[in-house]
Amino acid sequence: MPETVCLAFTGASGMPYGVRLLECLLAAGCRVQLLYSQVAQIVARQEMGLDLPARASEARASLEERYPDLPGRLEVYGREEWFAPLASGSNPPDAMVICPCSMGTLAAIAQGLASKLIERAADVVIKEGRKLILVPRETPLSVIHLENMLRLARAGAVILPPNPGFYQHPQRVEDLIDFVVARILDQLHVRHALLQRWGDTPAAP
């Protein structure tokens, strides 16, 4: 299991996936380095009524109040905080997840741009051979989107679209969210009990 995971929220729809993933990583005892874009603040408010303050210190205090009993360690960094450890290959996280990942962020990473801290952190993770997981939320996908994804997959990134399966017979929206988050956690080798695995016998009531 990775000790340190960088988690980034960007301006695509799908913020409930990212927030649930944050909760699960902290519950598993991970150190989470959280980044989020300005548009992610708008999406969080629109989709979840969640306020992500512009100041990193305020966001950290708000999220720690939201998850007071979880054993993990949360660090929040501002968009221009270039002295953050994840901005340098000398101190990279064990893995990075961008969830949700906008097509703009995906394109910038695919082209090697690093004008923002999220892009720079992803660039560091790729060049240092750590795991990068992108959860892109867009449909339909254009040829440009697909070519950017292919370029990143060839560089070693995991492209994990948030496409839930239905063999679990989901009853709530939360079940669909947990399905996707479980697949992300599997990629990170983080233990969880979010869903019954294919072929496993259901536990007796």
Side-chain angles (χ1 to χ4, degrees), residues 136-179:
R137 215 307 305 174
E138 186 60 87
T139 190
L141 297 171
S142 73
V143 172
I144 295 172
H145 299 152
L146 292 168
E147 287 180 344
N148 285 333
M149 290 181 192
L150 180 58
R151 185 169 189 172
L152 285 167
R154 284 174 171 160
V158 175
I159 309 298
L160 199 157
N163 299 329
F166 288 84
Y167 54 83
Q168 299 279 338
H169 303 290
Q171 302 298 309
R172 310 169 302 152
V173 171
E174 289 80 5
D175 296 333
L176 300 175
I177 293 169
D178 278 357
F179 185 97

Side-chain angles (χ1 to χ4, degrees), residues 35-106:
L35 307 172
Y36 52 87
S37 69
Q38 186 174 9
V39 183
Q41 293 176 266
I42 298 172
V43 176
R45 192 174 302 113
Q46 170 69 21
E47 294 189 343
M48 302 186 67
L50 174 64
D51 182 40
L52 289 175
R55 290 180 177 272
S57 59
E58 294 176 8
R60 178 179 176 179
S62 176
L63 290 168
E64 286 180 340
E65 183 177 349
R66 183 184 179 102
Y67 304 116
D69 300 320
L70 298 184
R73 173 180 162 196
L74 177 63
E75 300 168 2
V76 183
Y77 296 100
R79 291 184 289 275
E80 305 297 327
E81 201 166 337
W82 293 104
F83 283 104
L86 40 76
S88 172
S90 67
N91 198 5
D94 298 314
M96 180 175 183
V97 185
I98 305 180
C99 177
C101 182
S102 69
M103 289 299 121
T105 299
L106 189 145

